[in-house]
Amino acid sequence: MDAPRHRWLVFGAMCTVYASFGVAVAAIAPMLTLVRTDLGISRGAIGFALGAWALIYIATSPIAGRFIDRFDLGWSLALGGVSVGGSLVLRAAADGLLGLWLAVAFFGVFGPLISASAPKLMASWFPDEAERRRGVGWYAMAPALGGAITVAVTNPVLLVWFDSWRTVLLFEASIAAAATLGWVAVWCRVDRPRAADRTGPAADAERGGWRQLLGSTELQLVFFVAFTLFFLNHALGNWLPTVLEEFSGLSPSEAGAWVGAGGLIAIVSSGTIPPFADPNRMHLLIAAVLTVAAGALALIVVAPSAAHGPLAMLTFVRGALVPLAAITVLTADRVSPTNAGLANGLWFSFAEIGGVTGPLTIGALADTSAGYRGALLAVLGVSLAGAAVALVSHRERGTRQGT
């Protein structure tokens, strides 16, 4: 397939929508204590609500992946962008636990259309593998950047401007709407890639459905690693500012500053590590990143509180995990451009099981005698399990390739 001449313009427009996705994921985290107090709900309850979208993702991700494979990226990504803005508006209107849960859950209905569209775009618009690896790392910077800016500016800027967490969410919804309109404008004006002529038995194998994909031992291992990395990402993404406030004794602005600075590490790691993820390294890199994040969590548990901010920044090396995992999916056996949407939809379905249980685990343990210390140790243990499975997956891939 020839590389479409408008691929980087389409890539940039997609990244703006993905950045608004990051805004929605991080929107409540810097205001968590304020929202929890206003709605009168416990830590465990709000942890349950924050994981609602990930719970819905489990069911909707494979459907979204198949939808993208059968229809075009344009309206799929636009519908995903609408769900981002709609969820933020509904969160602003929530008056209790049920309302907040439903508002966050709405994000999970069409949100997978964004998550699965990004790797699908790389598979179908970027035939050069080196260029594709760079692009995967770069697009992963978009939600990290959106989330980092949101966390950094919410307490010192947005809450000062608007004086209400509800109005802050409405402002963020307008950003998502603008990004979605920008995507639609670009998509309506670009030349689309010509599909390669794929016929015969080989093409039928490439178009494998979910049964064929789930039958791949390599993908089974990748799916387990997906669970662990989303457990880590969602647990810390939702709770780290509050952990720094209530466990480490930092002010909301100080916690937001450390987490926002950590977002820069996530951005740099997601842009610089994935280009090195050739087939012989990608699982090893995942194992290394999970181990570094687990080590930082271990130090937070035992170190003086004055060191918690810098150590929290170190956990943001996890920003490289999602692009690294996307590369492992795109290069796995039985995955091709014709079924990349479904493959990534299945990946997100398994991943979001971890995305649900991560925030819920921290919230539930924080309400017990184990407290935040026990919650961090739980996240640490899951991360190390993921690192171990990534090493097994590396060995499996080597065996399959005869290396």
Side-chain angles (χ1 to χ4, degrees):
M1 184 185 80
D2 293 333
R5 64 191 182 97
H6 289 139
R7 64 191 182 282
W8 289 112
L9 178 61
V10 173
F11 175 87
M14 178 271 290
C15 286
T16 63
V17 179
Y18 217 165
S20 72
F21 181 101
V23 171
V25 171
I28 290 180
M31 305 184 291
L32 193 147
T33 301
L34 184 62
V35 174
R36 185 172 66 83
T37 302
D38 190 23
L39 298 181
I41 55 181
S42 69
R43 296 183 184 91
I46 201 166
F48 174 67
L50 291 176
W53 69 274
L55 179 65
I56 302 301
Y57 248 67
I58 296 170
T60 57
S61 290
I63 300 171
R66 178 59 78 188
F67 181 90
I68 295 165
D69 283 334
R70 292 190 176 182
F71 303 97
D72 69 18
L73 286 167
W75 300 111
S76 299
L77 197 58
L79 189 57
V82 169
S83 75
V84 172
S87 175
L88 289 167
V89 170
L90 291 172
R91 293 181 214 183
D95 59 359
L97 176 60
L98 178 60
L100 182 63
W101 191 94
L102 291 173
V104 176
F106 179 73
F107 179 43
V109 176
F110 299 109
L113 291 170
I114 300 176
S115 303
S117 286
K120 174 71 174 183
L121 187 148
M122 302 312 299
S124 55
W125 285 65
F126 291 81
D128 180 76
E129 289 191 12
E131 194 174 62
R132 183 185 299 166
R133 286 198 299 269
R134 289 196 300 271
V136 169
W138 293 344
Y139 82 58
M141 295 168 63
L145 182 60
I149 293 175
T150 299
V151 171
V153 305
T154 295
N155 282 293
V157 179
L158 297 182
L159 280 171
V160 173
W161 283 356
F162 300 114
D163 198 30
S164 167
W165 64 269
R166 298 180 189 274
T167 312
V168 169
L169 293 176
L170 292 175
F171 171 75
E172 292 166 346
S174 70
I175 295 175
T180 303
L181 290 173
W183 163 259
V184 172
V186 168
W187 185 257
C188 290
R189 287 173 168 78
V190 298
D191 296 332
R192 316 290 167 77
R194 280 200 312 271
D197 181 20
R198 297 179 181 274
T199 58
D204 292 338
E206 283 189 344
R207 296 188 184 99
W210 65 270
R211 288 186 181 86
Q212 288 76 19
L213 292 171
L214 290 177
S216 164
T217 301
E218 184 180 0
L219 277 176
Q220 291 169 9
L221 293 169
V222 169
F223 290 158
F224 181 85
V225 174
F227 166 87
T228 64
L229 69 91
F230 265 48
F231 187 101
L232 170 68
N233 275 347
H234 286 231
L236 296 186
N238 283 291
W239 280 100
L240 191 55
T242 304
V243 169
L244 291 176
E245 292 175 37
E246 299 184 5
F247 180 65
S248 306
L250 303 183
S251 70
S253 294
E254 289 172 333
W258 282 114
V259 172
L264 297 178
I265 294 179
I267 292 165
V268 171
S269 63
S270 65
T272 58
I273 295 176
F276 295 99
D278 64 40
N280 295 321
R281 291 195 191 109
M282 52 193 179
H283 296 292
L284 295 176
L285 288 172
I286 290 174
V289 171
L290 284 169
T291 301
V292 170
L297 290 174
L299 291 173
I300 289 175
V301 169
V302 300
S305 58
H308 289 184
L311 290 171
M313 286 179 59
L314 185 57
T315 67
F316 279 87
V317 70
R318 69 184 190 273
L321 289 172
V322 171
L324 285 172
I327 293 169
T328 66
V329 174
L330 292 177
T331 59
D333 63 321
R334 307 189 189 183
V335 177
S336 73
T338 58
N339 64 5
L342 177 59
N344 280 280
L346 289 169
W347 184 89
F348 275 103
S349 183
F350 281 91
E352 291 299 358
I353 298 174
V356 171
T357 54
L360 183 58
T361 298
I362 285 195
L365 287 176
D367 277 335
T368 70
S369 59
Y372 286 115
R373 190 181 303 277
L376 293 175
L377 288 174
V379 178
L380 183 158
V382 172
S383 301
L384 290 179
V389 175
L391 294 176
V392 173
S393 186
H394 171 73
R395 186 178 64 182
E396 170 66 23
R397 185 178 181 88
T399 300
R400 182 171 64 85
Q401 295 179 338
T403 59

